[in-house]
Amino acid sequence: MPPSKSTTTSRDGTRIALYDYGNPDAPTLICVHGYPDNASLWEPVAERLTTDFHVVTYDVRGAGTSDRPTATSAYALDRLQEDFEAVLLHTAPNHPVHVLAHDWGSIQAWHFITDPELQAQIASFTSISGPSLDHAGYFLRRRNRAALRQLLHSWYIFYFHLPWLPELAWRKGWAHRAFNRLEQQDAEENRSIGDYVHGMKLYRANVLPRLIRPAQRRTDVPVLAVSPDADPFVTTPLQTEIARWAPNLTVKVVRGGHWMPRNDPGLVAELVRQHSREVAGLEA
């Protein structure tokens, strides 16, 4: 059954599109997509979890049918957290929620779960292929082989900071061909050019400030860090060597590539079930 659609409004007036998969009596699972996806990424995962959860997805600002602010500063992590808080208030104001996130969705969610004022509202977090930028800032300061390897995998981040060229490459199709050589993508991926172009502001608003001046952000939320072993963008050590920041941590290294929610939704659904049951105390 397709989800019902609604909207909520963030603190700065940005309109956020939500998709509700029903089952309001079940625990709420909020899914946060990454770049350059939109909420449709989660459809096959949500369909597998509707008996276990009240699943809610949303288009991150700049993606899907949510508003697309023009200012780069509107994509800062604090603004993204305000979007999440608006979704939280709209869908589950009275009880903690479980969070599932991928790629830039995970980067955002790390910001949410390390905010002391939000931690009590989050029962568990399943992160796929996305680190905290603050944790990454400390990781890269090690200047060891693992840090160097991650920097080599992160070349595209610095490319996205160039003026006008990345936008032109997406519009002309050059970038699609280049990134498909790293990991093949389905031609029917339900992304628009706007998802590609506006989403780059996530990188420009956040990456360099966080890597240069990382904060010591900790959380007691139960975290499952899922690292696909063939991810061409995010290495396993960056995602998993974080026990100093997240002591209630479980790590799963799985076979697969970066776009695991699209390519293996059954495995993602099962990992969320296991994590919520074993770590966050849900009954089997």
Side-chain angles (χ1 to χ4, degrees):
M1 181 178 295
S4 62
K5 181 179 177 181
S6 60
T7 61
T8 189
T9 303
S10 194
R11 187 176 302 178
D12 67 353
T14 301
R15 186 181 56 86
I16 303 298
L18 293 89
Y19 306 88
D20 191 315
Y21 287 82
N23 198 1
D25 296 327
T28 298
L29 173 70
I30 298 179
C31 303
V32 192
H33 69 82
Y35 174 83
D37 289 305
N38 53 57
S40 68
L41 170 78
W42 296 117
E43 288 179 3
V45 177
E47 290 167 356
R48 290 167 167 82
L49 288 173
T50 52
T51 58
D52 304 272
F53 294 98
H54 170 213
V55 182
V56 176
T57 68
Y58 67 98
D59 289 324
V60 171
R61 60 174 58 200
T65 60
S66 289
D67 285 346
R68 295 173 173 176
T70 56
T72 299
S73 60
Y75 294 79
L77 285 170
D78 287 342
R79 304 290 79 73
L80 300 171
Q81 179 170 317
E82 290 168 0
D83 298 348
F84 177 79
E85 290 171 346
V87 172
L88 193 63
L89 182 64
H90 185 86
T91 59
N94 300 316
H95 56 82
V97 302
H98 301 270
V99 176
L100 167 63
H102 172 253
D103 185 78
W104 254 97
S106 288
I107 292 174
Q108 295 178 57
W110 275 110
H111 194 70
F112 311 156
I113 73 161
T114 54
D115 184 329
E117 295 185 2
L118 265 182
Q119 288 187 35
Q121 300 180 62
I122 299 175
S124 75
F125 173 37
T126 301
S127 171
I128 305 172
S129 294
S132 159
L133 289 181
D134 293 282
H135 300 168
Y138 285 101
F139 178 86
L140 295 174
R141 277 167 168 72
R142 298 179 185 180
R143 299 180 183 178
N144 57 16
R145 183 176 296 180
L148 176 59
R149 183 167 176 264
Q150 179 57 58
L151 281 172
L152 293 174
H153 280 255
S154 300
W155 62 269
Y156 63 96
I157 294 176
F158 304 99
Y159 163 73
F160 285 161
H161 281 77
L162 296 175
W164 65 263
L165 179 60
E167 286 88 344
L168 179 65
W170 286 127
R171 295 184 189 281
K172 294 293 187 180
W174 310 329
H176 295 81
R177 292 191 289 273
F179 279 90
N180 275 347
R181 291 180 180 177
L182 297 174
E183 183 172 331
Q184 187 65 39
Q185 287 289 284
D186 188 343
E188 301 298 328
E189 57 199 9
N190 295 320
R191 298 169 180 161
S192 70
I193 289 298
D195 295 337
Y196 287 95
V197 170
H198 292 280
M200 283 189 292
K201 295 175 184 177
L202 296 167
Y203 294 88
R204 294 166 179 171
N206 296 292
V207 172
L208 293 182
R210 293 283 168 176
L211 295 185
I212 293 171
R213 293 182 297 276
Q216 296 192 31
R217 299 183 69 95
R218 295 180 170 85
T219 184
D220 292 322
V221 172
V223 176
L224 172 62
V226 180
S227 175
D229 61 1
D231 192 323
F233 307 112
V234 188
T235 61
T236 293
L238 179 64
Q239 301 177 70
T240 60
E241 295 179 10
I242 51 173
R244 64 181 287 202
W245 310 111
N248 200 352
L249 172 70
T250 304
V251 170
K252 294 276 189 182
V253 179
V254 299
R255 298 192 66 178
H258 183 75
W259 273 279
M260 184 178 163
R262 178 177 289 109
N263 297 331
D264 200 347
L267 177 57
V268 172
E270 185 56 32
L271 288 169
V272 173
R273 285 193 197 96
Q274 291 177 1
H275 182 52
S276 61
R277 291 169 180 169
E278 297 171 7
V279 181
L282 289 182
E283 294 181 0

